[in-house]
Amino acid sequence: VTKLSGFPEFLPAGRAVEQHVLDHLRRVFELHGFANIETRAVETRETLLRKGEIDKEVYVVQRLHAAEGESTSGGAPAESEAHGGLALHYDLTVPFARYVLENSNDLAFPFRRWQIQRVWRGERPQQGRFREFTQADIDIVGRGSLPFHADVEVAEVMAEALAGLPIPALTLQVSNRKVLEGFARGLDIAEPTSVMPVVDKLDKLPRERVLTELQAVGLSESQADAIVDLAAISGGGAAVVERVRALGVHHPLLDEGLTELAAVVDGVHAADGVTVVADLRIARGLDYYTGTVFETRMAGYEQLGSICSGGRYDQLAADRRSTYPGVGISLGVSRLLVPLIADGLTASRSVPSVVLVSLVDEDARDDAADVARRLRARGISTEVAPKAEKFGKQIQHAEKRGIPFVWFPSDGSVKDIRSGEQTPADPDTWDPPPADLTPQIQEIHK
Amino acid sequence: VTKLSGFPEFLPAGRAVEQHVLDHLRRVFELHGFANIETRAVETRETLLRKGEIDKEVYVVQRLHAAEGESTSGGAPAESEAHGGLALHYDLTVPFARYVLENSNDLAFPFRRWQIQRVWRGERPQQGRFREFTQADIDIVGRGSLPFHADVEVAEVMAEALAGLPIPALTLQVSNRKVLEGFARGLDIAEPTSVMPVVDKLDKLPRERVLTELQAVGLSESQADAIVDLAAISGGGAAVVERVRALGVHHPLLDEGLTELAAVVDGVHAADGVTVVADLRIARGLDYYTGTVFETRMAGYEQLGSICSGGRYDQLAADRRSTYPGVGISLGVSRLLVPLIADGLTASRSVPSVVLVSLVDEDARDDAADVARRLRARGISTEVAPKAEKFGKQIQHAEKRGIPFVWFPSDGSVKDIRSGEQTPADPDTWDPPPADLTPQIQEIHK
């Protein structure tokens, strides 16, 4: 048995960390009134490849017999072979757009949803890149129009969700495509969209190289210099607006972008462990963003790239009657947790159990089960020893799993096996310390 | 946009029902100390096809370029093409067995786990059968040995979990392969295992037809009669044992099976809405069961077949050093919920929001956000109106989503839009009726 590279799995304590994180995300998303949906794991290849850009990475799905030639033997193609066949979704945005169109008559717009599911990409496995991974997305989608304030809202909700996680400090970087595009137009650059993918490389390439590439897409030396100067600006909303103005470029789209950018950066309330900054390097390679864009870096884990990204798209989806503008942000749960758990982020125990009820002999099982039932009735996770071994072995059973308490029904007492302290106890009234009620997350301190 | 047959998706209110069910299952499983794991969606075809029986149904997964011939163009096969390539898992038992072997050094045995994930089968879609569906499994696995009591435990935990669901009455049917096999041996039937798949058909075929089929696998007329008489027995543990004894067949394996059967049926505590019976028709077609077997029928939905099945397998997995006996039970969450939700099982609202905070104009947004923040701080799910429309439109916004309360920051009041009652309220102290705090599940009464 060998592990499959690119398909991470956690041991139970690691999964307890992931559950803790997913529970927290859900709680914050729901406190803000976002509805949950799940979409099927497969889309037609037609749907997935419409965006065109990551066709290399798609995992095609076929029934075994179809894969072995059944479908070419003359029969009519099965339903799943229509529309180019089926493939696993590679993100949650494309399926969400399809879901919105398919159910537009039954949804109330603006529709605010959270969605946490696995996605698949046939990439070469490498640091922070997986073939199967979990994403947590929130989006707000309107029909016809969507108020700008939705941009502030998704950033604020995600920042609040991230702030409660047991992870290193985060920087949520905000930019706005209108700033870069308006600035480029103000410089009389003919094709502003050709500038975005180059600016996006400023993280990885030296300034000189980026200047050369900008000139290669048709910019003059002074235009390229100005663009790189713009992209170097970061900080608070008002300060960034002032520094951009100081570059002396003017365009109505630039004004609009700066107003929106400042509104997002200043509109997101400070959350513990999450700093929100304007950062004009952030361009996002993807074509469909039309305004606000987000990326997120984690302190000490910069090599992971952005762990939480998104933005505004004026057309998430469209049908004959309407367009559906949206704004969303997507957290790479696996990208975040796999390295942290590998570095030691863990839970205080590998099982939910607070108490192990010991067993003197098989005849005592009913009494032990009764104690367990009474504890569970008060929300205390409890298991009964699988067999009547020596007490030493039963305590070892608890220790191995990190279960803090062993109950002795024979003399009506409970023992904290960490301290060794044993006290008389009644299963109808005894309570563990609140911190022991669920597994505690043990943060890493690098 | 057309829906894909066999790949069910819920609208938000349906998903709220599913979330409610999954939350309840998890709560019960965790109260009993079961640990959670998730496994990757794919296994090697080698692993999946080892059991041999459902190869027709497997969905093969390939990178797009591999599917289009990349892998045959002379390069070394990619990792994912080794071991027969990858396929989506069709249940949670095979992946669990692989996970146990892969992590046997890091798990504490007996290992008790719950696992709720989607699985995929390339079947022809039909009533109650899907190509993608969710299963909820609990299993207990030992290394070398596993006490019999684990059989009672999984049945009891699943019965308790099912009892709390907003669904029609259930009958958990228990049998034991040792009863059927021991009985057949007592009748001097040469190949007792050939009898199981035929007995399994008693639900679908008339008695005469089953008798004929039993004779076709080598039984005499009187042997076949006796087997069908045995399979007709059902009821409470002690009564069933007595009726089997009255058939006058003797074998040590039969005795062992009857003792185990009675222990499971009588050992599971009565749970509201779940009846536990011994039913000797239940044989389970699958080879790997070796003792206790389970099936579950839902009143009014008998055509779905068993919605929750499982049993004991003396060898869930094996490596060079050990065998891993297990017992488990698997709930077909989609099989259960898709028809119930189609029949009207729903939630009282399509969003988590208890309160919509209204907006007089854009300048009032900070005040509205402040009210929302104070309500959320006390666990009350709240959203702010997306824009400052007429109050009538804002109330309509709440009504469409089933949000029960609209808050008016301008005069510090809250309105129950169902009754129309409006009262002064302080966001630091106001509480909704407890029943309104989360969406209520509205059961169907057929």
Side-chain angles (χ1 to χ4, degrees):
Chain A
V1 183
T2 54
K3 304 206 174 181
L4 219 52
S5 165
F7 293 92
E9 284 182 340
F10 294 127
L11 285 167
R15 172 61 183 163
V17 172
E18 189 180 41
Q19 279 277 32
H20 173 89
V21 166
L22 298 180
D23 288 347
H24 173 77
L25 295 175
R26 173 183 173 183
R27 191 164 51 245
V28 174
F29 298 158
E30 295 197 336
L31 274 174
H32 285 265
F34 283 68
N36 182 224
I37 65 161
E38 290 205 338
T39 53
R40 50 179 150 83
V42 300
E43 298 292 333
T44 63
R45 270 168 63 184
E46 200 175 69
T47 301
L48 287 179
L49 301 184
R50 206 164 289 154
K51 306 238 168 179
E53 27 153 345
I54 71 160
D55 57 315
K56 286 190 294 289
E57 301 177 356
V58 168
Y59 270 120
V60 172
V61 163
Q62 279 181 303
R63 290 176 62 215
L64 179 58
H65 286 201
E68 287 174 350
E70 181 194 68
S71 70
T72 59
S73 66
E79 176 175 26
S80 56
E81 274 88 53
H83 306 287
L86 301 177
L88 295 172
H89 56 215
Y90 55 76
D91 72 4
L92 301 178
T93 305
V94 173
F96 177 54
R98 192 261 312 152
Y99 179 96
V100 165
L101 291 182
E102 209 168 280
N103 298 293
S104 60
N105 288 331
D106 296 307
L107 300 174
F109 294 95
F111 177 48
R112 303 151 79 250
R113 81 90 175 77
W114 65 273
Q115 184 171 358
I116 299 182
Q117 280 183 255
R118 295 168 181 232
V119 306
W120 294 268
R121 293 186 190 175
E123 311 198 57
R124 295 224 160 268
Q126 51 173 303
Q127 169 85 318
R129 301 269 171 183
F130 306 108
R131 294 179 155 197
E132 176 179 41
F133 54 101
T134 298
Q135 288 197 323
D137 282 30
I138 54 175
D139 283 86
I140 306 177
V141 60
R143 178 153 57 191
S145 68
L146 179 68
F148 164 73
H149 184 76
D151 294 34
V152 182
E153 188 172 352
V154 294
E156 177 149 67
V157 173
M158 188 57 89
E160 188 179 322
L162 292 169
L165 297 181
I167 59 175
L170 300 174
T171 304
L172 176 62
Q173 302 159 304
V174 188
S175 187
N176 193 301
R177 299 279 287 243
K178 294 174 188 172
V179 172
L180 190 53
E181 190 181 334
F183 190 85
R185 290 190 187 285
L187 288 169
D188 288 322
I189 292 173
E191 297 251 29
T193 50
S194 66
V195 169
M196 314 276 179
V198 184
V199 169
D200 210 36
K201 296 180 187 172
L202 269 168
D203 254 1
K204 292 157 212 151
L205 299 180
R207 178 187 165 101
E208 287 312 313
R209 180 75 190 282
V210 171
L211 286 171
T212 311
E213 287 203 17
L214 284 171
Q215 290 175 51
V217 299
L219 273 61
S220 70
E221 199 180 323
S222 69
Q223 284 172 331
D225 268 329
I227 291 288
V228 172
D229 285 345
L230 177 78
I233 295 174
S234 67
V240 162
V241 171
E242 196 173 314
R243 286 175 60 197
V244 175
R245 299 272 183 232
L247 295 177
V249 174
H250 301 281
H251 194 275
L253 191 62
L254 173 61
D255 295 340
E256 191 182 326
L258 288 173
T259 305
E260 289 188 3
L261 177 61
V264 173
V265 174
D266 298 338
V268 178
H269 283 73
D272 211 24
V274 180
T275 308
V276 182
V277 296
D279 191 326
L280 300 185
R281 258 178 323 176
I282 305 305
R284 305 291 303 149
L286 307 175
D287 276 351
Y288 48 83
Y289 293 114
T290 50
T292 304
V293 286
F294 304 108
E295 295 196 357
T296 309
R297 260 75 191 177
M298 183 160 65
Y301 291 84
E302 289 77 7
Q303 78 285 3
L304 295 177
S306 174
I307 56 115
C308 183
S309 313
R312 159 75 74 147
Y313 19 70
D314 281 345
Q315 185 175 320
L316 170 70
D319 54 25
R320 274 174 218 169
R321 289 168 305 169
S322 317
T323 60
Y324 299 84
V327 59
I329 187 162
S330 173
L331 172 64
V333 176
S334 304
R335 185 181 285 195
L336 181 76
L337 289 182
V338 171
L340 290 176
I341 288 172
D343 284 347
L345 182 66
T346 189
S348 59
R349 54 186 193 256
S350 65
V351 292
S353 315
V354 183
V355 175
L356 173 77
V357 183
S358 66
L359 206 56
V360 186
D361 53 39
E362 249 342 281
D363 291 340
R365 189 171 283 283
D366 281 351
D367 289 343
D370 184 59
V371 167
R373 204 171 302 117
R374 287 150 75 187
L375 289 169
R376 286 184 202 119
R378 298 190 301 109
I380 300 165
S381 177
T382 303
E383 58 183 272
V384 176
K387 56 181 178 177
E389 298 170 298
K390 286 185 182 154
F391 280 155
K393 280 227 162 189
Q394 296 187 45
I395 288 173
Q396 222 175 60
H397 175 107
E399 264 168 358
K400 265 190 206 162
R401 291 159 177 80
I403 302 172
F405 294 95
V406 175
W407 199 281
F408 299 93
S410 44
D411 70 354
S413 72
V414 66
K415 180 175 191 155
D416 182 331
I417 64 170
R418 298 161 300 189
S419 65
E421 193 188 353
Q422 187 162 352
T423 48
D426 176 342
D428 292 328
T429 56
W430 178 82
D431 276 309
D436 284 331
L437 207 52
T438 54
Q440 293 304 295
I441 304 305
Q442 299 173 333
E443 292 187 47
I444 45 174
H445 298 282
K446 282 186 93 172
Chain B
V1 184
T2 54
K3 302 204 178 187
L4 219 51
S5 165
F7 292 92
E9 284 182 341
F10 295 125
L11 286 168
R15 173 61 183 164
V17 172
E18 189 179 43
Q19 278 278 31
H20 173 88
V21 166
L22 298 180
D23 287 346
H24 173 77
L25 295 174
R26 173 183 172 182
R27 192 164 51 244
V28 174
F29 299 158
E30 295 197 335
L31 275 175
H32 285 266
F34 282 68
N36 182 225
I37 66 161
E38 290 204 338
T39 53
R40 49 179 151 82
V42 299
E43 298 291 332
T44 63
R45 272 168 63 184
E46 198 176 70
T47 300
L48 288 179
L49 301 183
R50 206 165 287 153
K51 307 238 167 179
E53 30 154 344
I54 70 162
D55 56 316
K56 286 191 294 291
E57 302 178 354
V58 167
Y59 270 120
V60 172
V61 163
Q62 279 181 303
R63 291 176 61 214
L64 179 58
H65 286 202
E68 288 175 348
E70 178 195 71
S71 69
T72 59
S73 65
E79 178 175 24
S80 57
E81 274 89 53
H83 307 287
L86 300 179
L88 295 172
H89 57 215
Y90 55 75
D91 72 4
L92 302 178
T93 305
V94 173
F96 177 54
R98 191 261 315 151
Y99 179 95
V100 165
L101 291 181
E102 210 167 280
N103 298 292
S104 60
N105 289 330
D106 296 307
L107 299 174
F109 294 96
F111 177 47
R112 304 151 77 250
R113 82 90 176 75
W114 66 274
Q115 185 171 357
I116 298 182
Q117 279 182 256
R118 293 167 182 231
V119 306
W120 293 267
R121 292 186 191 174
E123 311 197 58
R124 296 223 158 268
Q126 52 174 304
Q127 169 85 316
R129 301 268 171 185
F130 305 108
R131 294 178 156 197
E132 176 178 41
F133 53 101
T134 299
Q135 289 198 323
D137 283 28
I138 52 173
D139 284 85
I140 306 177
V141 61
R143 177 152 58 190
S145 68
L146 180 69
F148 164 74
H149 184 77
D151 294 33
V152 182
E153 187 171 352
V154 294
E156 177 148 68
V157 173
M158 189 56 89
E160 188 179 324
L162 292 169
L165 298 181
I167 59 175
L170 300 174
T171 305
L172 176 61
Q173 302 160 304
V174 188
S175 186
N176 192 301
R177 300 280 287 242
K178 293 174 187 171
V179 171
L180 191 53
E181 189 181 335
F183 190 83
R185 290 190 188 285
L187 289 170
D188 288 323
I189 293 172
E191 295 250 30
T193 50
S194 66
V195 169
M196 315 276 180
V198 185
V199 170
D200 210 37
K201 296 180 186 170
L202 268 167
D203 255 1
K204 292 158 213 152
L205 300 180
R207 179 188 164 100
E208 287 312 313
R209 180 74 191 282
V210 172
L211 285 171
T212 312
E213 288 205 16
L214 284 172
Q215 290 173 51
V217 298
L219 272 62
S220 70
E221 200 181 322
S222 68
Q223 285 173 331
D225 269 330
I227 291 288
V228 172
D229 286 345
L230 177 79
I233 295 174
S234 67
V240 162
V241 170
E242 197 174 311
R243 287 174 62 196
V244 174
R245 298 274 185 231
L247 296 177
V249 175
H250 300 283
H251 193 276
L253 192 62
L254 174 60
D255 296 339
E256 193 182 323
L258 288 173
T259 305
E260 290 188 3
L261 177 61
V264 173
V265 174
D266 299 338
V268 178
H269 284 73
D272 211 26
V274 181
T275 308
V276 182
V277 296
D279 191 327
L280 299 186
R281 258 178 323 177
I282 305 306
R284 304 293 300 149
L286 307 175
D287 277 350
Y288 49 80
Y289 291 115
T290 50
T292 304
V293 286
F294 304 108
E295 294 196 355
T296 309
R297 260 75 190 174
M298 183 159 66
Y301 290 85
E302 289 78 6
Q303 78 284 3
L304 295 177
S306 174
I307 55 119
C308 182
S309 313
R312 159 75 76 149
Y313 18 70
D314 282 346
Q315 186 175 318
L316 170 70
D319 55 25
R320 275 176 217 166
R321 290 167 304 168
S322 317
T323 61
Y324 299 84
V327 60
I329 186 162
S330 172
L331 171 65
V333 176
S334 304
R335 186 181 284 195
L336 181 76
L337 289 182
V338 171
L340 290 176
I341 288 171
D343 284 349
L345 182 66
T346 189
S348 59
R349 54 185 193 258
S350 65
V351 291
S353 315
V354 184
V355 176
L356 174 77
V357 182
S358 66
L359 206 55
V360 187
D361 53 39
E362 257 330 291
D363 290 341
R365 190 170 280 285
D366 280 351
D367 289 344
D370 184 57
V371 168
R373 203 172 302 117
R374 286 150 76 187
L375 289 169
R376 287 184 200 118
R378 298 189 301 112
I380 300 165
S381 178
T382 304
E383 58 184 91
V384 176
K387 56 180 177 178
E389 298 170 297
K390 286 185 183 157
F391 280 155
K393 282 227 161 191
Q394 296 188 46
I395 289 172
Q396 222 176 60
H397 175 105
E399 263 168 358
K400 265 191 205 163
R401 291 159 177 79
I403 302 173
F405 295 96
V406 174
W407 198 282
F408 299 93
S410 43
D411 69 354
S413 72
V414 66
K415 179 176 192 153
D416 182 331
I417 64 170
R418 296 160 301 188
S419 66
E421 193 187 356
Q422 187 162 351
T423 48
D426 176 341
D428 292 329
T429 56
W430 177 83
D431 275 308
D436 284 331
L437 207 52
T438 55
Q440 293 303 295
I441 304 305
Q442 298 174 335
E443 290 187 47
I444 45 175
H445 298 281
K446 284 187 96 176

